[in-house]
Amino acid sequence: MIPARAGIEALKVAFKSLVVTVSELAQSGTNLDNAELPFFTYLLTPKQTSRIRAICKQEGWPIPATKGVEIDLNAILHPLESRKNKDGCPPAFVGDILAEAYSVNSEIAINREHNEQALIFNAKKKITYGGSKWHALAVLDVREEGHKKYLAPITAYHANEAKIRKIKIK
């Protein structure tokens, strides 16, 4: 059995490695539409799964049939480009955002700004960038395609406590 700490560290390495890979491919001019890249699934904790199910039930949204979030090219590319263009963040910081947002310590809440979206954010551990401390936050969409009901990553970013309070509904 793998110790929990080793699993947490392996997850961080997976996020950061995929960010580096996607960043290097994007900078090289590679057409990413047909690129075959590694991917993995972030498995929600039992508490996170229970919370997402409760939110979906309360809001009348489809209840995801899986306990995971597929982390693929799109899950990395959107936050990578958005953070670079909007905030000038380097890829390494985007890796930190993703690794801390998708954490066993992260909470789940409703995104007040969009229908059928949940937030997963780390309220316990902050990340540092530009001399300031930030919470890592990811936005998940509750999707239904035919019989398939799942959580899809939309984006991820760094936010202060006021921003999280503004956009979340408990």
Side-chain angles (χ1 to χ4, degrees), residues 40-144:
F40 60 92
T41 300
Y42 170 74
L43 296 176
L44 298 167
T45 66
K47 184 176 180 181
Q48 291 167 341
T49 301
S50 176
R51 179 70 181 131
I52 207 76
R53 290 178 62 80
I55 287 171
C56 290
K57 201 174 208 179
Q58 166 192 317
E59 298 297 313
W61 300 346
I63 297 173
T66 63
K67 296 178 182 180
V69 180
E70 188 174 290
I71 306 299
D72 60 6
L73 169 69
N74 293 321
I76 302 297
L77 191 59
H78 187 272
L80 188 63
E81 290 178 345
S82 295
R83 300 293 57 85
K84 179 178 134 189
N85 295 337
K86 291 180 181 176
D87 306 316
C89 297
F93 184 62
V94 175
D96 290 341
I97 291 170
L98 290 162
E100 292 303 332
Y102 292 97
S103 162
V104 297
N105 296 319
S106 291
E107 298 177 24
I108 305 281
I110 298 170
N111 186 353
R112 135 183 4 239
E113 297 179 346
H114 297 280
N115 188 36
E116 293 192 11
Q117 284 189 355
L119 306 171
I120 181 168
F121 59 94
N122 195 328
K124 293 185 179 174
K125 184 177 178 191
K126 292 185 178 181
I127 51 179
T128 303
Y129 177 70
S132 298
K133 293 199 178 276
W134 305 92
H135 291 285
L137 177 139
V139 180
L140 304 173
D141 196 33
V142 180
R143 295 206 178 143
E144 184 172 19

